[in-house]
Amino acid sequence: QIKSLDTHVASCSRHGKTCFKCGATALASNYVNHAHQCSGELPVRMYHGTSIEVAQLILSSQSFHASSSGLLGEGVYVTADISKAARYGPVVIECAVFKGKTITIAKRFHPQQKCWRRAGYDSAWVPPNAFISTNKAADALGVADDDYAALAGTRNTSGGELEETCIGDSRRVIPLKLVKGTGR
């Protein structure tokens, strides 16, 4: 089933995508090249983990739907670390990503953590080891996640050792192919 979806993506030219920069429609088979020429930006390889069912929808439509919430607010969540992507589902989609203007969110309660798009950024990046998860119990006590974990006698499971990026405009994330993951 996964291989047939890969074949569909590689051979399908009927899907058109609207460019995030100029608004023109380009065939899916040429979209990465068009977006690169139009924006002058080179895409980076990143990964998105999900279920098989959602992966089928993403690949058949050649587009992502932004999450309505998350650590960095609304957007499409991707990572350069395939092992982190695999935590979100049994299927990992390799993507070409045009990150645009990026803000680094490296601490909890960063003033732009969820409103970076209104400040003119195209994406927000959490670097490795930032540990800025949204732990409501730690927030209630006004302590960092690690301090809360020590107080509660639990281990910090925020996944802070791995980075992630939130892309505000889903047209900046282009699914390329599926990679079978090792997640749930």
Side-chain angles (χ1 to χ4, degrees):
Q1 186 175 22
I2 302 256
K3 287 182 183 177
S4 65
L5 287 172
D6 265 351
T7 303
H8 170 78
V9 171
S11 64
C12 187
S13 61
R14 67 184 170 89
H15 298 291
K17 288 185 63 94
T18 304
C19 179
F20 61 86
K21 189 71 174 176
C22 71
T25 300
L27 291 177
S29 59
N30 190 44
Y31 183 77
V32 173
N33 186 47
H34 170 85
H36 164 64
Q37 289 179 352
C38 186
S39 69
E41 183 182 345
L42 289 173
V44 294
R45 178 182 301 154
M46 300 188 88
Y47 303 95
H48 178 83
T50 191
S51 67
I52 291 173
E53 296 79 18
V54 172
Q56 289 173 329
L57 293 172
I58 291 168
L59 293 173
S60 66
S61 67
Q62 278 293 284
S63 64
F64 285 87
H65 293 280
S67 296
S68 59
S69 64
L71 178 67
L72 299 168
E74 185 178 340
V76 177
Y77 284 81
V78 291
T79 179
D81 189 315
I82 195 168
S83 65
K84 176 155 186 178
R87 293 178 180 189
Y88 293 92
V91 175
V92 175
I93 301 173
E94 182 179 312
C95 307
V97 179
F98 292 89
K99 292 168 70 174
K101 184 178 176 185
T102 304
I103 185 172
T104 300
I105 307 290
K107 64 179 182 175
R108 287 192 78 195
F109 310 115
H110 187 287
Q112 308 256 334
Q113 184 171 335
K114 297 209 180 217
C115 62
W116 46 269
R117 289 188 309 166
R118 283 182 280 181
Y121 293 96
D122 301 306
S123 62
W125 176 62
V126 175
N129 301 312
F131 287 104
I132 67 162
S133 73
T134 52
N135 181 331
K136 291 180 181 177
D139 290 350
L141 294 173
V143 297
D145 289 343
D146 287 339
D147 294 337
Y148 177 78
L151 288 170
T154 62
R155 189 168 71 79
N156 185 337
T157 59
S158 66
E161 73 279 5
L162 301 171
E163 62 81 37
E164 70 181 15
T165 302
C166 182
I167 309 296
D169 184 341
S170 63
R171 297 174 298 173
R172 290 179 165 273
V173 184
I174 299 93
L176 297 176
K177 66 180 182 176
L178 291 177
V179 181
K180 185 170 175 126
T182 58
R184 332 175 229 186

